[in-house]
Every structure is written in C-alpha cells, then in structure tokens.
Amino acid sequence: MIAQPQVSRTYSPEEYLDLEVASEIRYEYIAGDIVPMTGGTPNHNRIIRNLCTALTIGLQGRDLEVFVADQRLWIPQAQIYTYPDVMAIAGELTYQTGRRDTLTNPTLIIEVLSASTRNYDRGDKFAAYRTIATFQEYALVDQYSAHVEHYVKTGSKQWMLQEYDGLDTVLNLVSLGLEISLRDIYNKVQFEPAAQGEEAQI
C-alpha cells in the first residue's frame, strides 16, 4: 500500500531509517521521498492472512521462511525501502549491511492489489523488485475478484506471465515448489467493488 509523498524535502536513507525506527507509523522510502503507508481493507488483510497460513503450512520443514506486511525490504539499486505484503526467502536471511531489521534477498513477493496501488505494483514497483538478484517470482492478488497475475523469471530480463481466474483454479508457485488454490487464498473474502475512498488515493 502506498500514498503520494506528503513532504517536499529529500531524505537520505540514513535519515529515513532514523525516522522510521522512532515512528509509530510505517513509511516507505522511494529515492529520497518518505511516503506514509495507508491502512488496508478487511479483505486485504484476509488475503494476506490466508496466504501466510497456506505458505507456512506448505513450506513446513523446508529451508524457506515467510514474512508478511511489517518486514522491511531494502532494494539498493532502486534506492527503495518497502514493506511487501508477503515475502518468501530461501535459505539464510541476508540483511542490509549494519542492520538486523531490513532484509534484501526475497525469492517470492506477493502484493495484494488495491485501487490505489495496482498501477504502482504492476509498474515501477515490479521494475524495482526485478533489480534484486534473488527475486524469482511475483504474484499480484486482486482483492475485488478471484484473479491472480503471476510472473516467473525464466531468464535474464525474461519473465513469463500467467493469469488465474476463479476459485477452482490453483496457483503454482514454481520457485517454492508449492501449489495454493485460489479458494484457500480467498477464504472468507467478501468481494465488493473498490471503495470510493481508495480510488481517491490514486
């Protein structure tokens, strides 16, 4: 989730981290801009919860770890600090140098789309994620219908897109060797059109 920058000055990454650690509100950092993060809808939270549950159970006993929502990620080439909705990391965690609260090596990232973030998640944010060497797979989960856009890295600067529609389809997470049904992803989700307030944040 993301809103428009509300400050005029440019911050260094170090200044951002100092402010972020002391703040009760989460912010993203985008190439000098500090961006307050908006709250999510109940459906947004249900989907994240369902994904976390399915991934945690499905990856039990394997050298993979799942993180959700409040785990900070540093993307050095793009100069971005962000909080993906869901991350899975294979093997040992790699931290930003000098820190123990910021990771740098996701294998899989999942974002739950909202009216105010869908264009950014598909565009500039995905481009930033693609600069991460370990990043292999990206899923964009719609919260207004049973629909998932799924990207898998197939080679240098090559990504394959597959779309999944309907509760009876199954998302195949190639990098994790795991399948999750859309029925499980959307458990207890009550589909409704995007709220007017969300549209206003674009």
Side-chain angles (χ1 to χ4, degrees):
M1 295 172 287
I2 189 169
Q4 293 299 315
Q6 296 181 358
V7 293
S8 57
R9 63 162 289 191
T10 298
Y11 290 80
S12 70
E14 293 75 21
E15 289 174 318
Y16 159 78
L17 289 169
D18 288 342
L19 291 169
E20 177 77 348
V21 169
S23 175
E24 295 181 0
I25 302 171
R26 284 189 300 145
Y27 295 84
E28 290 188 321
Y29 175 87
I30 305 174
D33 288 325
I34 292 179
V35 185
M37 298 183 67
T38 59
T41 64
N43 278 346
H44 187 279
N45 282 277
R46 289 180 183 118
I47 292 168
I48 292 175
R49 178 198 64 208
N50 293 338
L51 285 164
C52 181
T53 300
L55 288 168
T56 300
I57 293 172
L59 298 175
Q60 192 169 7
R62 298 172 56 188
D63 193 17
L64 289 149
E65 198 162 359
V66 179
F67 298 89
V68 295
D70 62 350
Q71 176 58 63
R72 188 165 54 239
L73 171 69
W74 169 235
I75 311 173
Q77 288 192 44
Q79 291 288 288
I80 288 175
Y81 287 101
T82 189
Y83 292 85
D85 287 327
V86 179
M87 285 191 295
I89 294 179
E92 293 187 10
L93 305 182
T94 301
Y95 296 93
Q96 182 186 7
T97 302
R99 303 199 64 87
R100 298 293 292 177
D101 57 1
T102 307
L103 300 175
T104 63
N105 65 323
T107 302
L108 163 75
I109 295 175
I110 302 176
E111 298 285 7
V112 179
L113 298 178
S114 68
S116 59
T117 67
R118 57 170 63 120
N119 292 335
Y120 178 58
D121 288 339
R122 290 180 177 128
D124 290 346
K125 198 171 195 180
F126 185 25
Y129 286 154
R130 293 198 302 270
T131 67
I132 302 171
T134 58
F135 180 53
Q136 298 293 315
E137 196 161 11
Y138 191 42
L140 298 166
V141 180
D142 197 328
Q143 65 174 299
Y144 309 111
S145 64
H147 178 77
V148 177
E149 300 166 30
H150 178 222
Y151 295 86
V152 177
K153 188 173 185 179
T154 58
S156 178
K157 298 185 180 297
Q158 294 181 334
W159 290 78
M160 181 180 68
L161 167 65
Q162 182 169 351
E163 297 185 79
Y164 297 82
D165 289 290
L167 296 177
D168 293 328
T169 56
V170 177
L171 172 63
N172 179 24
L173 297 174
V174 177
S175 66
L176 307 186
L178 181 67
E179 293 185 340
I180 304 175
S181 73
L182 267 66
R183 190 171 300 279
D184 288 339
I185 292 173
Y186 289 104
N187 180 38
K188 296 190 176 181
V189 170
Q190 301 171 3
F191 294 118
E192 52 192 35
Q196 192 171 17
E198 288 185 300
E199 295 286 2
Q201 296 173 21
I202 297 176

